Each structure stands twice: as C-alpha cells, then as structure tokens.
Amino acid sequence: MTTGQKLEIRRYSGNPLLVPRDVEPSFPDWEVIGVFNAGVAEYQGEIILLLRVAERPRQSEQGSLLVPVLAGEDGGNACPAARAELREIRRIPGRAANGDGGNSAPPAIAVMQLDRNDPALDFRDPRVVRDRSGKTVCLTSISRFHIARSRDGVNFTLDPGPGVWPEGAYESWGIEDPRVTPLDGRYWITYSAVSDKGVAVGMMSTADFAEFRREGVVLAPTNKDVVLFPEKIGGSYYMLHRPVPDGIGRPDIWIARSPDLAHWGDHRLLMGVREGRWDEGRIGAGGPPIKTEAGWLVLYHGADRRDRYCMGAALLDLHRPHEVIARLDEPLLVPEADYETSGFFSGVVFSCGAVVKDGEVIMYYGASDDTMACAVFDLAPLIGRMSRPRP
Amino acid sequence: MTTGQKLEIRRYSGNPLLVPRDVEPSFPDWEVIGVFNAGVAEYQGEIILLLRVAERPRQSEQGSLLVPVLAGEDGGNACPAARAELREIRRIPGRAANGDGGNSAPPAIAVMQLDRNDPALDFRDPRVVRDRSGKTVCLTSISRFHIARSRDGVNFTLDPGPGVWPEGAYESWGIEDPRVTPLDGRYWITYSAVSDKGVAVGMMSTADFAEFRREGVVLAPTNKDVVLFPEKIGGSYYMLHRPVPDGIGRPDIWIARSPDLAHWGDHRLLMGVREGRWDEGRIGAGGPPIKTEAGWLVLYHGADRRDRYCMGAALLDLHRPHEVIARLDEPLLVPEADYETSGFFSGVVFSCGAVVKDGEVIMYYGASDDTMACAVFDLAPLIGRMSRPRP
C-alpha cells in the first residue's frame, strides 16, 4: 500500500442503482416507496444486495393514512396505540415458501386506517406516526427484504417472488437495514426487528440466499446498526451495536463479544458522538468491518442534530477491536447529489455494506431513504490518513 | 400447600430495619441519604443484605449543589454535561483492599459543584439533575454497596469498612439496586452500573461476601432490574431484564437465556405494563424468581404514571419460564406506612430480594428510596390465587 494517493470518493455515474419503481409491490394496489439500506454479500461470483423494500397501500383518501402491519387473522393489537381502524386483512405473499424457522408467524397483514385529523397524532415525520408525547405509535410503511444480484456490481437484477417478509411478534412493523456477514460457511444477517415492542436486533442466516432461517432476537430494544466482524478474534465473535439509551447516555457505538453468535456479553463503549460536529447526533456502524493490514476499517454513519446523515470512517486494532486506532475528522461522504438531498427522507447517505476489489472499496448506500447508490474509493489513502496516532 | 389461607401481607412491626443514620458516611463531612434496595442472600446461617448506600457531601451553600462522581486524578470528564466546577478530589476509601478485578479503576472521587441558579439545569427531581431537554446530566449522590448481616432476619449488623465502591468507567456515577443469586458455588450480583454512558447492567460475583470480582457489563444501556434464575432450566441460565426502549416500546419485563452467565441472547418480551393500572408506567423484577411447585414466583415492582411504586406478583412456567401462568391483578404491597409514603423519594416500595422460610416469604424492600423494610406473607395463598388459568 502507498499512502501518497489522494483520498477521493467517486459516486457511480449511473446512480441511483435502484429506485422504488424497479421493485414490484407485493399487491397491485400497493406502492413501493423505498428500496434502500441494503446489506451486501459476495456469493457465487455475484454481488448480492439484500435490499430493504418499504411499501404500503396506495393512499386514496386525503384525510386518512393507510398503514400495513403484521397481525393475526383478527387484525388485533398490532398497532395498539394508533387509534386505528382495521380496513382489511391480506395474506402475506408466498408465506408457505418463505423458509419459516418454526416461528408461529402471524398469517396476515392488517391494513389500518388512521385519521390524519386526529389531534392526538403527529404526522409530520414521513416515516412514522407519533403521539403528542413523541412516542411512535406506528410506521407509515412496512419493510421486507428483497434480493438483487449483479455480476459487475452496478447492474442489478431483482429476484422474482415475494422476498423475505417479516414474521412473528418482534417483526410486526417490519424488518429493516440488514447487514450480511459470511462466517463459518453461512451468511449471518443482523437487522432491525421492529414492532410495538420496540426496535430490537434480529438475526437470520442463510447458506444460499434462497432459504432464510430465523435465529431469534439477539439484542433487546432499543438497539440498531449491528454488524458482525467477519472472523473470530482471539477465539470470540465480535459485533458492533448501537444502543439508544434513555435518560442518560447517547446513541454511541458499542462493541460486544460472543462465543457462538447467539449470546452476547462484555459490552463496551467503542466510540461516541462528537459534540458540535457532523456526527454529533447519533452514529452507527455501516457494514461488517473490513480487515486491512492497519486494522479493522469501520465505515459508519453519523447524523447531526438536523438528521443529516453522512458516512465516516474509523480504524480499530486488529487484535483488540475495542481499541480505536483512528477516526476520520471529516465525513467520507456527505449528501450532495440530488438523489441524496431530495427524496422520502432527504439528506441521508446510509451504508449497510461494501465490497473490496483490488484495493478499491465499493460502498453501497441508501440515499434519502428511498434509493440505492454506490461510491468507490481507494483503500490505501484512507488507511494512510487514519494510520496516524489518535489525537 | 393449601389454598384456603387468606393472602395477607404483614409489615414487620420494627420497620424500618435500617435507616441512613445506621450507616457511617465514607467521609466525616459527607452524609448518607439512603440505605435501600438491598440484594438478599443466605450465607453461613445468616441473612445478608447487600445494601445500596447513597451518599454525598453535606451541602453547605444554598445556591449550589455538591455532587460526587468517580474520576481520574484531574477530575476530568466524569460529568461532562453538568457545567460543573471541580471542587475537590478524594481518594476512594480502602480502594486497595477492595478485591479489584483488575480493572483500571479511576483512583478518586471528584466533588463537583453545580450552580442551582443555572437556567440550563433542572433540579426538581431529588435524585438527578436534568438539562432542559430532560436528559440526566448527573445524579445528586453516589451509590455503593454495603453488607449487613442478621441471624434472625430483622436485626442487622453492618460490616466494618468501606463496602463495595463503584469502579471503572461504567460505574462513575455509582452502582445501584443489586440482586444476588447463588449459582454454581458462587453468588452472582447483577446491578445498575451508572455513568454518563448510560444505565448498563453490571455483574460481579463473590464466594464469601468479602472479595468481589467484576464480571463486566452483561447488558448495554438502557437496562435495569436484572435477576437471575437460581438454577439452570433445560441446560440454560435465564435472566429477567427490563430494557427502557426509546421511541417505540415500553418499560416491560423481558427474559433472556445464556450458556455461561456472561453472554445473553434469545430475548423475549415476558410481560408488559398494564394500561390504566397500578403497573402502567414501568415494571421490573424484584429478586431472583422463587421456585414453587406451581411455577417460578416473580415478585416485581410496578410504577404508575405518578411514580408510585408498588410490589406485585406473577407466576412463570417451571420448565418454560418465558410463559406467564398468572399475574396478580392487584398489588401485593402498596406504599402506605409512613416510611413508605414520605422520605427521599416518597411513595416507593421496591424489593430486590426475599427469603423463604417454612412456607413464609420474607420480602425485603427499600422504602421511599431511603430506608430498608421487610414484610412477610404466606406462600400458599399467594400461589393459590395465581394458579387459576390466565384471564
């Protein structure tokens, strides 16, 4: 590696790679509103994006909002605080073929109708409905996963079929923001399992990106942005995670250790938000850490107080991953392109995975919570910049 | 067991058992403001209370508040958001003799002075100082553990010495609300490890209540009220825990599983708060579940929206502890005695442990966040009431 190269991040000229209209909605009268924040894997010579697809019924009446949630046949209790009215029940597409891991999955989707004039509800955030105390009572869409495949890393073909639908009580509001890590012959997917019980961390695994096995809830709410290290270190598995503390503490990145991927302990604060800077509001790991000679490269997102999400970078010690060697002062990628500065939730670049080829990092990312894009940079100058001792 | 007995809870006539003046402060110019929320164990024929002792410098100036935090010699950064002034540094009493588990413990206590007229700070809650956004910037006291011993269960003698002081970065604001569980020849203590990083769950262990070994942070913030089951079930260890979700979800009781006590997974929601009732605000397990023929008895606290804390009871399946067999409608114990309805934080009964003798449960509890009390009830009628099928 040479450190003389300039660090320059190059957006792919064909961005965005995928947009909502590229994905068929689950029902003819639904709309896909986002295809974004994909986990990334290399499998059988292809690059796989495990896309987050957010969809909902097309909205017809101006004074109301239709929101989908998983529910029992009676539609009961999936969205208890929203004072919503059950409009209809739909069967989940392809449920039987979904590689169900033995959970007693609710068999249906309930479409709930909320009154936009309800003075108890707050509809200002396009992503969620809140009550007057700021508590989220439901989401405005439901997210599932869908696979796209590519040989060249930029032209993607979507798999047919319904994709991976949420299932069970911890996923009744959707599954979001997957990260994919190859370990011990399987691919391990950590994701946000969202329900009225909170935002927990779910895990599923697959050997072939066709059958997916649920591995349970690995961290209790509220926690997000879990990435696994792609190999054991000193005999243990490691993850980065991002609790959202209540009352005391900040949304910082923590590290934890496991003997078996299923059970986690030895939690330590790894790195925190930085007051007054681009990552002052919250931070969270992007994809699985990338092994380099200089250390584990962590691409992470940081949001400021206005919810502008940028991507940044940090370097962790190879053998003691709870030690931060260096952290880039400035962001690596800032929302600037039009697909990053306008969209469903504007001003967001949010990566859940990357691929390294010949010293070049292809970082895939969701833009404005509705499309997928990618950007490329050389590894060597980034590592070179971060190999200085920590200030 | 007979179910004909009446369920009646009898407060000990000599309550409170222990009050702040029974405990020597760590320094002559400090005051103990609370001795409460003790973990309970039986050891060598004695009942041991692992007391939470909250103390602070005696307050001299009306316009300011002196608060203690663990810190480095420079007092740096232990209370960063409080805009506090460092007043003095004290050595932790008996640190060398404290059975330090090899952590690089901050060597000192910093006494910080806060300005009560600072318009950015909110001093209304006697327990904490908040900023205007409701974020806690520091506590008003620091808690450590101290041991009291008794042959008869009601007359307690305090151990000499400094007790168990907080140590390390995750305990810089104190250690609180211990629960003690005998397992595999040691006593395992789960507790709130409080610092500016959040309220995490710490674990320590002891074989003799003299030497204590830190076992690390077992759950990330925000989480509290962790109790371990006193034996393995189906080859696994189990705990109850109480995450405090942010944005979505409520402060409900969850259950988790472990192969080794150090690493935890398979998190499931066990039982939730009950809207409009005495346990509508938050709930959390009391002491370690008590094994009965009918199931695991869980004594738990529930608070309403006005922060009145009562004790209640639930029964879990013996072999499948994630199944709630029954839950008492009404509380078991309500703050009614004068030491429960007035004090440092009034209207609180909060148990962290109990002892069962000859079919009688002696439930120890903190009252009004400042004293220790106990109450007695017969196990049979309580179990009888809860053995009905779940409504």
Side-chain angles (χ1 to χ4, degrees):
Chain A
M1 280 189 212
T2 60
T3 56
Q5 287 170 266
K6 197 174 157 235
L7 173 59
E8 190 189 26
I9 189 151
R10 303 175 294 278
R11 286 174 177 80
Y12 172 57
S13 60
N15 276 350
L17 297 170
L18 288 164
V19 300
R21 68 174 171 276
D22 294 327
V23 185
E24 189 106 13
S26 292
F27 306 101
D29 57 343
W30 279 34
E31 59 180 352
V32 171
I33 60 169
V35 43
F36 60 120
N37 298 2
V40 180
E42 293 176 83
Y43 176 67
Q44 294 189 339
E46 291 184 318
I47 290 174
I48 287 194
L49 295 183
L50 186 64
L51 301 159
R52 171 179 171 189
V53 173
E55 56 185 343
R56 64 182 179 193
R58 271 202 295 278
Q59 307 293 317
S60 48
E61 292 166 45
Q62 210 165 12
S64 71
L65 180 73
L66 298 177
V67 303
V69 290
L70 287 198
E73 289 291 358
D74 62 352
N77 220 24
C79 202
R83 318 209 306 188
E85 195 182 307
L86 176 64
R87 278 291 294 271
E88 57 168 334
I89 292 286
R90 297 262 173 117
R91 289 211 67 76
I92 292 173
R95 165 58 75 202
N98 197 22
D100 189 315
N103 287 3
S104 58
I109 303 153
V111 175
M112 311 297 291
Q113 181 169 351
L114 278 68
D115 178 2
R116 282 191 175 274
N117 298 313
D118 186 336
L121 301 178
D122 173 354
F123 292 89
R124 284 173 299 177
D125 189 321
R127 304 166 299 179
V128 302
V129 182
R130 296 195 172 93
D131 67 17
R132 289 291 153 195
S133 76
K135 198 91 190 159
T136 297
V137 297
C138 67
L139 309 185
T140 59
S141 63
I142 193 164
S143 288
R144 57 181 172 87
F145 300 152
H146 204 106
I147 286 165
R149 298 169 197 260
S150 173
R151 291 256 158 216
D152 64 6
V154 291
N155 292 290
F156 283 89
T157 306
L158 282 118
D159 274 10
V164 183
W165 265 80
E167 64 181 43
Y170 300 96
E171 301 179 0
S172 59
W173 292 7
I175 50 179
E176 305 180 352
D177 304 347
R179 274 79 168 185
V180 187
T181 312
L183 261 168
D184 306 335
R186 288 184 77 82
Y187 293 84
W188 300 83
I189 299 155
T190 49
Y191 59 96
S192 290
V194 187
S195 73
D196 63 320
K197 296 165 182 56
V199 181
V201 177
M203 190 184 274
M204 56 176 88
S205 70
T206 184
D208 55 9
F209 293 95
E211 295 257 335
F212 294 83
R213 185 173 79 201
R214 289 300 196 286
E215 306 285 349
V217 172
V218 292
L219 294 176
T222 303
N223 213 314
K224 287 184 167 184
D225 303 323
V226 168
V227 301
L228 303 176
F229 285 70
E231 61 184 65
K232 281 187 168 185
I233 303 164
S236 291
Y237 299 101
Y238 281 86
M239 68 158 55
L240 304 181
H241 64 96
R242 209 289 302 279
V244 186
D246 173 86
I248 308 177
R250 295 159 304 270
D252 299 330
I253 298 178
W254 289 59
I255 186 165
R257 210 151 53 93
S258 173
D260 57 9
L261 292 175
H263 305 91
W264 294 88
D266 193 15
H267 298 270
R268 304 186 197 197
L269 176 62
L270 180 72
M271 56 186 231
V273 298
R274 294 185 291 195
E275 199 67 36
R277 299 171 77 165
W278 62 273
D279 50 2
E280 67 182 344
R282 67 180 64 86
I283 56 176
I290 296 166
K291 194 175 189 180
T292 76
E293 285 169 29
W296 293 104
L297 173 63
V298 177
L299 303 175
Y300 73 94
H301 66 262
D304 63 16
R305 276 168 218 272
R306 294 168 170 188
D307 278 340
R308 185 187 72 154
Y309 281 74
C310 299
M311 290 300 300
L315 199 63
L316 312 182
D317 187 272
L318 272 187
H319 307 291
R320 296 144 60 97
H322 44 83
E323 287 185 11
V324 179
I325 296 171
R327 183 170 173 186
L328 218 55
D329 283 334
E330 69 277 22
L332 198 58
L333 187 69
V334 174
E336 282 168 347
D338 56 355
Y339 49 89
E340 297 162 353
T341 57
S342 70
F344 181 72
F345 193 82
S346 304
V348 174
V349 295
F350 189 102
S351 175
C352 296
V355 162
V356 184
K357 292 260 186 243
D358 307 322
E360 217 177 51
V361 179
I362 309 165
M363 181 173 79
Y364 294 92
Y365 62 97
S368 294
D369 275 11
D370 58 11
T371 59
M372 276 306 296
C374 75
V376 173
F377 59 88
D378 295 314
L379 198 50
L382 175 59
I383 299 299
R385 289 258 297 254
M386 289 199 297
S387 298
R388 295 168 302 187
R390 182 158 40 149
Chain B
M1 282 187 210
T2 61
T3 56
Q5 288 169 263
K6 194 171 159 242
L7 173 59
E8 189 188 26
I9 188 150
R10 303 176 295 278
R11 285 174 179 81
Y12 172 57
S13 60
N15 275 349
L17 298 170
L18 289 165
V19 299
R21 68 176 171 275
D22 293 328
V23 184
E24 188 106 14
S26 292
F27 306 100
D29 57 342
W30 279 33
E31 58 180 352
V32 171
I33 60 168
V35 44
F36 60 120
N37 298 3
V40 181
E42 293 175 84
Y43 176 68
Q44 293 188 339
E46 292 184 318
I47 291 176
I48 286 193
L49 295 183
L50 186 64
L51 302 160
R52 171 178 171 190
V53 173
E55 56 185 343
R56 65 182 179 193
R58 272 203 296 277
Q59 306 293 318
S60 47
E61 292 167 44
Q62 208 164 13
S64 71
L65 180 73
L66 298 178
V67 302
V69 291
L70 287 198
E73 288 292 358
D74 62 351
N77 220 24
C79 201
R83 321 210 303 186
E85 195 182 306
L86 175 65
R87 278 292 293 272
E88 56 167 332
I89 292 287
R90 296 263 174 116
R91 290 211 66 79
I92 293 173
R95 164 58 74 201
N98 197 23
D100 187 316
N103 288 4
S104 57
I109 303 154
V111 175
M112 311 296 292
Q113 179 168 351
L114 278 69
D115 178 2
R116 282 193 176 273
N117 298 312
D118 187 336
L121 301 179
D122 174 353
F123 293 89
R124 285 173 299 176
D125 188 322
R127 303 168 300 180
V128 301
V129 181
R130 296 196 173 91
D131 67 17
R132 290 292 152 193
S133 74
K135 199 92 188 158
T136 296
V137 296
C138 66
L139 309 184
T140 59
S141 63
I142 192 163
S143 288
R144 58 182 171 87
F145 300 152
H146 204 106
I147 286 165
R149 300 168 196 259
S150 173
R151 290 258 157 213
D152 63 7
V154 291
N155 293 291
F156 283 89
T157 307
L158 282 117
D159 274 9
V164 182
W165 264 81
E167 63 181 45
Y170 299 97
E171 302 180 0
S172 60
W173 292 8
I175 51 179
E176 304 180 354
D177 303 350
R179 275 80 167 184
V180 187
T181 312
L183 262 169
D184 306 335
R186 288 183 77 81
Y187 292 83
W188 300 83
I189 300 155
T190 49
Y191 60 96
S192 290
V194 187
S195 73
D196 61 320
K197 297 164 181 57
V199 180
V201 178
M203 189 184 275
M204 56 177 91
S205 70
T206 183
D208 55 10
F209 292 96
E211 294 260 332
F212 294 83
R213 186 173 76 202
R214 290 298 195 288
E215 306 283 351
V217 172
V218 292
L219 293 176
T222 302
N223 213 313
K224 285 184 169 185
D225 302 324
V226 168
V227 301
L228 303 175
F229 285 69
E231 60 185 64
K232 281 186 167 183
I233 303 164
S236 291
Y237 298 102
Y238 281 86
M239 68 158 55
L240 304 181
H241 64 96
R242 209 288 303 282
V244 187
D246 173 85
I248 307 177
R250 294 159 305 270
D252 299 330
I253 297 179
W254 289 58
I255 186 166
R257 209 150 54 91
S258 172
D260 58 8
L261 293 174
H263 306 91
W264 295 88
D266 193 15
H267 297 271
R268 305 184 197 199
L269 177 62
L270 179 73
M271 57 186 229
V273 297
R274 295 185 291 194
E275 200 69 34
R277 299 171 78 165
W278 62 274
D279 51 2
E280 68 182 344
R282 65 179 67 85
I283 56 176
I290 295 165
K291 194 175 190 180
T292 76
E293 284 170 29
W296 292 103
L297 172 63
V298 176
L299 303 175
Y300 73 94
H301 66 262
D304 62 16
R305 276 168 219 273
R306 293 166 170 192
D307 278 339
R308 186 186 72 154
Y309 281 74
C310 300
M311 289 302 299
L315 199 63
L316 312 182
D317 188 89
L318 272 187
H319 307 290
R320 297 146 57 97
H322 44 85
E323 289 185 10
V324 178
I325 296 171
R327 183 171 172 185
L328 217 57
D329 284 334
E330 68 278 24
L332 198 58
L333 187 68
V334 174
E336 282 168 348
D338 55 356
Y339 48 90
E340 296 162 355
T341 56
S342 71
F344 181 71
F345 193 82
S346 302
V348 174
V349 295
F350 189 102
S351 174
C352 297
V355 162
V356 184
K357 292 261 186 241
D358 307 322
E360 217 177 52
V361 178
I362 310 165
M363 182 173 78
Y364 294 92
Y365 61 97
S368 294
D369 275 12
D370 57 11
T371 60
M372 276 306 297
C374 76
V376 173
F377 57 89
D378 294 315
L379 198 50
L382 175 60
I383 298 300
R385 290 256 300 254
M386 290 200 296
S387 298
R388 295 167 304 187
R390 186 158 35 153

Short mmCIF file of all heavy atoms in Angstrom, two decimals, chain B residues 352-373:
data_model
loop_
_atom_site.label_atom_id
_atom_site.label_comp_id
_atom_site.label_asym_id
_atom_site.label_seq_id
_atom_site.Cartn_x
_atom_site.Cartn_y
_atom_site.Cartn_z
N CYS B 352 -35.60 -5.99 46.11
CA CYS B 352 -34.56 -6.63 45.30
C CYS B 352 -34.23 -8.03 45.82
O CYS B 352 -33.24 -8.62 45.40
CB CYS B 352 -33.29 -5.78 45.30
SG CYS B 352 -33.48 -4.16 44.55
N GLY B 353 -35.07 -8.57 46.74
CA GLY B 353 -34.78 -9.91 47.20
C GLY B 353 -35.65 -10.33 48.37
O GLY B 353 -36.22 -9.49 49.06
N ALA B 354 -35.75 -11.62 48.54
CA ALA B 354 -36.60 -12.19 49.58
C ALA B 354 -35.98 -13.50 50.04
O ALA B 354 -35.10 -14.06 49.39
CB ALA B 354 -38.01 -12.44 49.04
N VAL B 355 -36.48 -13.98 51.16
CA VAL B 355 -36.04 -15.25 51.71
C VAL B 355 -37.30 -16.06 52.00
O VAL B 355 -38.31 -15.50 52.43
CB VAL B 355 -35.22 -15.01 53.00
CG1 VAL B 355 -35.11 -16.26 53.83
CG2 VAL B 355 -33.83 -14.48 52.64
N VAL B 356 -37.24 -17.37 51.74
CA VAL B 356 -38.39 -18.23 52.05
C VAL B 356 -38.01 -19.15 53.21
O VAL B 356 -36.98 -19.83 53.15
CB VAL B 356 -38.81 -19.07 50.83
CG1 VAL B 356 -40.06 -19.89 51.16
CG2 VAL B 356 -39.06 -18.18 49.62
N LYS B 357 -38.84 -19.13 54.29
CA LYS B 357 -38.59 -19.99 55.45
C LYS B 357 -39.91 -20.64 55.84
O LYS B 357 -40.88 -19.91 56.14
CB LYS B 357 -38.11 -19.15 56.65
CG LYS B 357 -36.75 -18.54 56.51
CD LYS B 357 -35.68 -19.35 57.23
CE LYS B 357 -34.34 -18.63 57.20
NZ LYS B 357 -33.30 -19.40 56.51
N ASP B 358 -39.96 -21.95 55.84
CA ASP B 358 -41.15 -22.68 56.30
C ASP B 358 -42.43 -22.16 55.65
O ASP B 358 -43.42 -21.89 56.34
CB ASP B 358 -41.28 -22.59 57.83
CG ASP B 358 -39.98 -23.02 58.53
OD1 ASP B 358 -39.34 -23.97 58.04
OD2 ASP B 358 -39.62 -22.40 59.54
N GLY B 359 -42.40 -22.00 54.35
CA GLY B 359 -43.61 -21.58 53.63
C GLY B 359 -43.96 -20.11 53.76
O GLY B 359 -45.00 -19.66 53.28
N GLU B 360 -43.06 -19.35 54.39
CA GLU B 360 -43.29 -17.92 54.58
C GLU B 360 -42.25 -17.15 53.78
O GLU B 360 -41.06 -17.50 53.81
CB GLU B 360 -43.12 -17.60 56.07
CG GLU B 360 -44.07 -16.57 56.59
CD GLU B 360 -43.88 -16.37 58.09
OE1 GLU B 360 -42.74 -16.13 58.54
OE2 GLU B 360 -44.88 -16.45 58.81
N VAL B 361 -42.69 -16.13 53.09
CA VAL B 361 -41.76 -15.29 52.34
C VAL B 361 -41.47 -14.03 53.14
O VAL B 361 -42.40 -13.33 53.56
CB VAL B 361 -42.34 -14.90 50.96
CG1 VAL B 361 -41.36 -13.99 50.21
CG2 VAL B 361 -42.67 -16.13 50.13
N ILE B 362 -40.19 -13.78 53.39
CA ILE B 362 -39.78 -12.51 53.99
C ILE B 362 -39.27 -11.64 52.85
O ILE B 362 -38.20 -11.91 52.29
CB ILE B 362 -38.67 -12.69 55.05
CG1 ILE B 362 -39.06 -13.79 56.03
CG2 ILE B 362 -38.36 -11.38 55.76
CD1 ILE B 362 -37.89 -14.29 56.86
N MET B 363 -40.06 -10.67 52.48
CA MET B 363 -39.69 -9.81 51.37
C MET B 363 -39.03 -8.54 51.92
O MET B 363 -39.66 -7.79 52.67
CB MET B 363 -40.92 -9.46 50.53
CG MET B 363 -40.60 -8.59 49.32
SD MET B 363 -42.05 -8.36 48.23
CE MET B 363 -42.95 -7.11 49.15
N TYR B 364 -37.77 -8.35 51.57
CA TYR B 364 -37.06 -7.13 51.96
C TYR B 364 -37.29 -6.09 50.88
O TYR B 364 -37.35 -6.42 49.70
CB TYR B 364 -35.57 -7.43 52.13
CG TYR B 364 -35.31 -8.36 53.30
CD1 TYR B 364 -35.25 -9.74 53.10
CD2 TYR B 364 -35.19 -7.86 54.59
CE1 TYR B 364 -35.06 -10.60 54.18
CE2 TYR B 364 -34.99 -8.71 55.67
CZ TYR B 364 -34.92 -10.08 55.46
OH TYR B 364 -34.74 -10.91 56.52
N TYR B 365 -37.40 -4.83 51.29
CA TYR B 365 -37.63 -3.81 50.27
C TYR B 365 -37.14 -2.44 50.73
O TYR B 365 -37.11 -2.15 51.93
CB TYR B 365 -39.11 -3.74 49.87
CG TYR B 365 -40.08 -3.39 50.97
CD1 TYR B 365 -40.53 -2.09 51.14
CD2 TYR B 365 -40.55 -4.37 51.84
CE1 TYR B 365 -41.43 -1.76 52.16
CE2 TYR B 365 -41.45 -4.06 52.86
CZ TYR B 365 -41.87 -2.75 53.01
OH TYR B 365 -42.76 -2.45 54.02
N GLY B 366 -36.76 -1.66 49.76
CA GLY B 366 -36.44 -0.26 50.01
C GLY B 366 -37.74 0.52 50.08
O GLY B 366 -38.67 0.27 49.31
N ALA B 367 -37.80 1.47 51.02
CA ALA B 367 -38.99 2.31 51.18
C ALA B 367 -38.59 3.76 50.95
O ALA B 367 -37.60 4.24 51.54
CB ALA B 367 -39.57 2.12 52.58
N SER B 368 -39.33 4.41 50.07
CA SER B 368 -39.10 5.84 49.77
C SER B 368 -37.65 6.14 49.40
O SER B 368 -37.15 7.23 49.67
CB SER B 368 -39.52 6.72 50.95
OG SER B 368 -40.91 6.65 51.13
N ASP B 369 -36.97 5.19 48.78
CA ASP B 369 -35.58 5.38 48.35
C ASP B 369 -34.65 5.83 49.47
O ASP B 369 -33.62 6.45 49.21
CB ASP B 369 -35.49 6.40 47.19
CG ASP B 369 -35.75 5.76 45.83
OD1 ASP B 369 -36.20 4.59 45.79
OD2 ASP B 369 -35.50 6.43 44.80
N ASP B 370 -35.02 5.54 50.75
CA ASP B 370 -34.03 5.88 51.77
C ASP B 370 -33.87 4.88 52.91
O ASP B 370 -32.85 4.91 53.60
CB ASP B 370 -34.23 7.30 52.33
CG ASP B 370 -35.60 7.57 52.92
OD1 ASP B 370 -36.37 6.61 53.10
OD2 ASP B 370 -35.90 8.74 53.19
N THR B 371 -34.82 3.99 53.12
CA THR B 371 -34.69 3.04 54.23
C THR B 371 -34.98 1.62 53.75
O THR B 371 -35.53 1.40 52.67
CB THR B 371 -35.70 3.37 55.37
OG1 THR B 371 -37.01 3.30 54.82
CG2 THR B 371 -35.46 4.76 55.93
N MET B 372 -34.60 0.64 54.59
CA MET B 372 -34.91 -0.76 54.32
C MET B 372 -36.02 -1.22 55.26
O MET B 372 -36.03 -0.88 56.44
CB MET B 372 -33.68 -1.65 54.56
CG MET B 372 -32.70 -1.77 53.43
SD MET B 372 -33.42 -2.29 51.83
CE MET B 372 -34.02 -3.93 52.21
N ALA B 373 -36.92 -2.03 54.71
CA ALA B 373 -38.02 -2.58 55.50
C ALA B 373 -38.22 -4.03 55.07
O ALA B 373 -37.58 -4.51 54.12
CB ALA B 373 -39.29 -1.77 55.27
#
